[in-house]
Amino acid sequence: MFELSERAQDFISKTKNFIENEIEPIEADFWHEVHTLNPDGNWKNWTWPAQLETLKDKAKQAGLWNMFLPDPELGAGLSVQEYAHIAELSGRSLLAPTVFNCNAPDSGNMEVLWRYGSEQQKQQWLMPLLAGKIRSVFCMTEPAVASSDATNMQATAVVDGDEIVLNGRKWWSSGLGDPNAKIIIFMAHTPDENKDRHHQHSMVLVPVDTKGVTIERMLPVFGDYDAPHGHGEISFDNVRVPVENFIGGAGQGFEIAQGRLGPGRIHHCMRCIGAAEKSLELMIDRGMSRKAFGKELLKLGGNLERVAEARVAIDQARLLTLYAAYKMDTLGNMAALTEISAIKVVAPSVLEKVVDMAMQLHGGAGVSKDTPLTGFFAQARSLRLADGPDEVHKGMIAKLELVKRGYSTRKKA
């Protein structure tokens, strides 16, 4: 079931070698420079270290570029399951996804444009994104409503002649602080009394510098702004763009979102598994290199048992995620709804648990920036909310289980 082609194995081998030889040796210094260049939440001054472009050029030359895209000409042409292994490797590093141009939200936004965009949209925005010349933003979550139910959305995209008028406020807009961010995908309510509630939302392309678009602030996660990428709050005040800026047409927002989030959740979850593997390695090395009370730290208390628990949990999460990817490849996203929701619950929780164990073994160093552990922990905890909180996915799993047994899940009138 999980056999890989020779071509996929070659990509995996080259990715592993690149991370080990080009990224890991410089990553600690790279992030130290990032924090020096971007000391606070003033995103207007944020910048990337010059070394990033050098690494990206090396990745391009090695053919390790846009590997997430299943298009054999524009991307690597790998299946979801094949790319999942690469996502796991890149998840071991907080830098690698960006170096390979496989980072969120750009990978998801590029896939949206590739699948649903017009030819004009592809030429204007997809091609520069694939080339790594610009970055993008995804705006969905709103501060004034419970965004776990996307039908609560208050932001609007209303057609006025040959223009779309956008109004609303979004936050946790990923990629908003990046100095190279040029285009936003804005999801909003497009009222239409002739359509059901799941066909009244649209995705709209909005250039960042459009009149009426205002970046209000960047939002820190556990005190860290994730500069120079960042997540922010942004307002849209009577923003006007051409009607051609609808992606796939008015009312197609939910359909596109499902197409976007399916592969994206595989990517997120496999990166979580890669981060958990790295955390476990750091935990073991730390625990065996230091002694207390005459023994290695790892041999004290229940630490060895925790290592075993981590191994079991990581392998279970990996197998479940690969199975979800397999079903997506062979049967389609709709056939894998249970598994897609399941991995979204499982993988971030496994990472959170393993990172917590590793932090405990590291003592004070575990909560500092001397290791990637705090970054991994923030990633895990945030992903339990992003793309739908745990509770929404558990609700979906339960609903599908009831349907299997012939029970209706519709609300009674």
Side-chain angles (χ1 to χ4, degrees):
M1 181 185 293
F2 299 146
E3 291 182 5
L4 295 169
S5 65
E6 289 187 14
R7 185 167 178 273
Q9 291 179 43
D10 185 54
F11 268 106
I12 292 166
S13 176
K14 288 179 178 178
T15 301
K16 183 175 184 293
N17 290 335
F18 192 97
I19 292 172
E20 290 178 351
N21 297 323
E22 301 290 347
I23 296 178
E24 288 183 345
I26 60 88
E27 184 159 10
D29 289 339
F30 180 91
W31 289 118
H32 177 74
E33 185 177 356
V34 164
H35 289 115
T36 300
L37 291 171
N38 310 284
D40 53 36
N42 184 8
W43 74 94
K44 295 177 182 178
N45 296 326
W46 282 0
T47 185
W48 285 100
Q51 193 171 22
L52 177 61
E53 290 304 315
T54 301
L55 287 168
K56 289 168 73 173
D57 286 342
K58 288 182 178 180
K60 283 183 184 179
Q61 292 169 13
L64 305 176
W65 192 255
N66 296 328
M67 291 180 285
F68 70 93
L69 197 66
D71 188 307
E73 295 182 4
L74 299 178
L78 300 173
S79 68
V80 176
Q81 182 194 330
E82 288 172 334
Y83 177 69
H85 295 272
I86 293 171
E88 176 179 345
L89 290 172
S90 67
R92 296 172 56 88
S93 161
L94 294 169
L95 175 58
T98 301
V99 170
F100 298 135
N101 210 40
C102 294
N103 52 284
D106 293 332
S107 57
N109 290 345
M110 285 187 271
E111 191 152 2
V112 163
L113 289 169
W114 175 67
R115 290 185 183 278
Y116 304 100
S118 66
E119 285 306 311
Q120 186 272 331
Q121 290 170 352
K122 290 177 182 179
Q123 289 302 315
Q124 186 174 5
W125 300 115
L126 176 59
M127 300 314 291
L129 283 166
L130 288 170
K133 294 180 179 179
I134 64 172
R135 301 291 293 273
S136 62
V137 182
F138 188 70
C139 291
M140 185 169 182
T141 305
E142 298 181 6
V145 298
S147 293
S148 55
D149 178 358
T151 61
N152 284 335
M153 204 171 289
Q154 293 182 341
T156 57
V158 179
V159 176
D160 181 20
D162 60 356
E163 292 183 318
I164 315 167
V165 182
L166 311 175
N167 282 284
R169 183 175 289 254
K170 301 285 187 177
W171 73 343
W172 298 110
S173 300
S174 48
L176 189 60
D178 197 292
N180 297 315
K182 302 299 181 185
I183 187 66
I184 296 165
I185 293 182
F186 175 80
M187 186 159 173
H189 183 212
T190 304
D192 188 337
E193 61 183 17
N194 296 317
K195 294 181 179 179
D196 65 78
R197 67 180 188 142
H198 289 106
H199 288 89
Q200 295 194 38
H201 296 78
S202 307
M203 288 193 186
V204 184
L205 287 164
V206 187
V208 172
D209 59 0
T210 305
K211 182 180 179 181
V213 174
T214 303
I215 298 176
E216 304 289 347
R217 60 172 175 153
M218 288 298 119
L219 298 164
V221 178
F222 296 136
D224 190 342
Y225 284 98
D226 194 23
H229 181 65
H231 311 271
E233 185 168 352
I234 181 171
S235 61
F236 298 78
D237 183 14
N238 289 319
V239 175
R240 289 180 173 269
V241 296
V243 73
E244 292 81 14
N245 283 30
F246 277 126
I247 302 176
Q252 299 301 305
F254 278 140
E255 177 184 333
I256 295 171
Q258 288 306 310
R260 179 188 194 277
L261 293 174
R265 285 173 181 151
I266 298 290
H267 304 171
H268 276 313
C269 291
M270 290 303 288
R271 284 194 291 264
C272 282
I273 291 162
E277 286 282 9
K278 181 67 174 181
S279 299
L280 179 57
E281 291 173 10
L282 291 171
M283 173 183 172
I284 292 172
D285 290 346
R286 178 79 171 193
M288 292 302 291
S289 65
R290 298 203 172 195
K291 291 185 177 181
F293 310 106
K295 289 185 177 181
E296 290 86 354
L297 293 179
L298 207 63
K299 296 179 181 178
L300 294 172
N303 289 330
L304 287 174
E305 187 173 335
R306 294 185 183 96
V307 169
E309 290 173 353
R311 168 49 54 214
V312 171
I314 292 170
D315 286 351
Q316 287 177 328
R318 178 186 293 108
L319 286 171
L320 181 58
T321 307
L322 290 175
Y323 180 57
Y326 165 79
K327 289 191 73 172
M328 289 171 64
D329 283 333
T330 56
L331 301 174
N333 287 12
M334 295 303 294
L337 287 179
T338 294
E339 291 76 17
I340 292 171
S341 286
I343 63 172
K344 183 58 177 56
V345 173
V346 169
S349 295
V350 166
L351 174 56
E352 185 179 336
K353 179 180 178 181
V354 175
V355 173
D356 186 70
M357 293 176 184
M359 292 170 84
Q360 193 71 11
L361 253 294
H362 279 75
V367 293
S368 73
K369 288 185 177 179
D370 288 356
T371 75
L373 294 174
T374 51
F376 288 155
F377 187 86
Q379 171 189 353
R381 194 62 190 84
S382 298
L383 279 175
R384 292 186 58 205
L385 297 169
D387 289 351
D390 291 354
E391 292 78 7
V392 169
H393 291 288
K394 289 177 181 178
M396 173 60 75
I397 295 167
K399 178 180 177 180
L400 292 170
E401 289 303 304
L402 264 62
V403 169
K404 287 179 186 177
R405 298 293 301 157
Y407 294 102
S408 173
T409 58
R410 294 182 179 180
K411 294 180 181 179
K412 293 182 179 180

